[in-house]
Amino acid sequence: MDVKVVSLNIWHGELLDDVVAFLHAQDADIVLLQEVANATDSALTRKHRSFSLLRQELGYEFADFAPALNINWPEGKVIEGNAIFSKFPITTAHPPIFFNEPFGDMDYNDPKHFPKAPRNLQHIEVKTPAGIVHILNLQGVWDLDGDNDSLKRRNMSRIILEQTKGLQRVIVAGDTNAKPTNPAMLALEEQLVSVFKDELSTSFNLRRKDLEKFPGYATATVDLMYVSPDVKVVAHDCPNIDVSDHLPLTATLTIS
């Protein structure tokens, strides 16, 4: 059975209409998103209500949201986290596991808060014709240095390895905030297969980055995807499109 998967950090919904158009065109079986806002106040702008609007406008019957933090925007406090949309029924939604800080607040306009921004691992199980598939979606702990092999990053990879150990039909993807060559990320390859390995020069949308101030974005691949060894990668791509400050990852996988 072939399954199409898309992973994308949607940049707090800043380009939400473009995200919707892109995902409509992809028509993926499973979509993993990061930086998804889930406010319920209809008075707030569309970007702050991304989870419900994406589910409605894309038509996915099955969806799960893993809250990570409250962001203090000028418009008010908005809950944000990871989201998974699926054409397959969700049989189990595991409680999110936090990598660093517990659920809490963050001031988006204050950079000193970024290293302590709560980040977590979302894990659901979906029922497919090939059997149960484990989908794990993450946004990694923040660090401007993608090569820094920090204790927090080692803890992140340890948690991912623990949660996938012994499982079959596993897909792990997200904005890891770390390069694939970081020792903490290389540790994942002890039991998982890197879909893109070191093929990409960057996974950032450089149209949206200040390269004069932060030239490192041009050589930083932080959006990654892994599968268990029993999953075959048929095709994979990183389209250079303007839908976020990150680029999406797409993959067609054979699951049996």
Side-chain angles (χ1 to χ4, degrees):
M1 178 188 74
D2 284 354
V3 172
K4 186 170 185 178
V5 179
V6 172
S7 177
L8 174 65
N9 178 324
I10 69 166
W11 195 26
H12 315 288
E14 292 291 341
L15 302 173
L16 187 62
D17 291 341
D18 295 312
V19 170
V20 170
F22 168 72
L23 292 177
H24 259 308
Q26 290 293 308
D27 190 28
D29 299 294
I30 298 168
V31 177
L32 302 87
L33 304 177
Q34 305 87 46
E35 293 190 6
V36 180
N38 192 17
T40 57
D41 184 352
S42 60
L44 291 172
T45 60
R46 282 172 58 84
K47 74 174 187 178
H48 294 317
R49 297 178 286 119
S50 296
F51 179 69
S52 59
L53 290 175
L54 283 165
R55 184 175 187 181
Q56 175 184 340
E57 295 179 17
L58 295 173
Y60 282 95
E61 182 178 356
F62 307 103
D64 182 64
F65 177 75
L69 73 167
N70 283 315
I71 295 185
N72 296 318
W73 294 98
E75 301 91 336
K77 187 178 289 187
V78 176
I79 192 169
E80 192 171 281
N82 301 325
I84 301 175
F85 300 92
S86 172
K87 291 184 179 181
F88 304 110
I90 297 174
T91 60
T92 305
H94 298 271
I97 300 177
F98 283 81
F99 298 130
N100 52 346
E101 307 291 331
F103 182 91
D105 293 356
M106 186 188 86
D107 186 347
Y108 182 71
N109 294 313
D110 190 346
K112 75 174 184 290
H113 286 192
F114 294 176
K116 293 186 177 181
R119 301 301 189 199
N120 63 27
L121 178 69
Q122 179 184 22
H123 179 186
I124 67 168
E125 299 176 28
V126 298
K127 184 179 180 181
T128 77
I132 294 295
V133 177
H134 295 266
I135 313 296
L136 292 90
N137 181 24
L138 73 143
Q139 185 169 21
V141 293
W142 189 90
D143 189 328
L144 198 57
D145 182 357
D147 291 311
N148 182 20
D149 183 22
S150 66
L151 289 175
K152 288 182 179 180
R153 279 182 169 144
R154 290 181 210 169
N155 184 57
M156 178 175 73
S157 63
R158 176 187 60 79
I159 289 172
I160 295 170
L161 288 169
E162 288 178 351
Q163 294 303 305
T164 57
K165 185 176 182 180
L167 298 181
Q168 294 181 313
R169 307 185 198 96
V170 174
I171 303 168
V172 181
D175 169 15
T176 69
N177 272 310
K179 292 182 179 180
T181 51
N182 188 302
M185 305 313 298
L186 287 173
L188 296 181
E189 297 183 41
E190 296 172 8
Q191 66 188 43
L192 298 170
V193 177
S194 175
V195 173
F196 289 81
K197 194 62 177 173
D198 55 359
E199 297 175 15
L200 305 176
S201 58
T202 183
S203 64
F204 284 101
N205 176 13
L206 301 182
R207 307 169 187 83
R208 301 287 174 172
K209 293 300 182 183
D210 185 348
L211 294 181
E212 290 188 6
K213 188 175 181 180
F214 300 107
Y217 282 123
T219 56
T221 300
V222 298
D223 300 273
L224 306 177
M225 185 180 294
Y226 301 86
V227 295
S228 53
D230 60 313
V231 174
K232 180 183 178 182
V233 180
V234 178
H236 60 286
D237 190 24
C238 180
N240 187 10
I241 58 172
D242 188 21
V243 298
S244 170
D245 65 335
H246 287 247
L247 299 176
L249 302 180
T250 72
T252 300
L253 309 172
T254 297
I255 299 175
S256 57

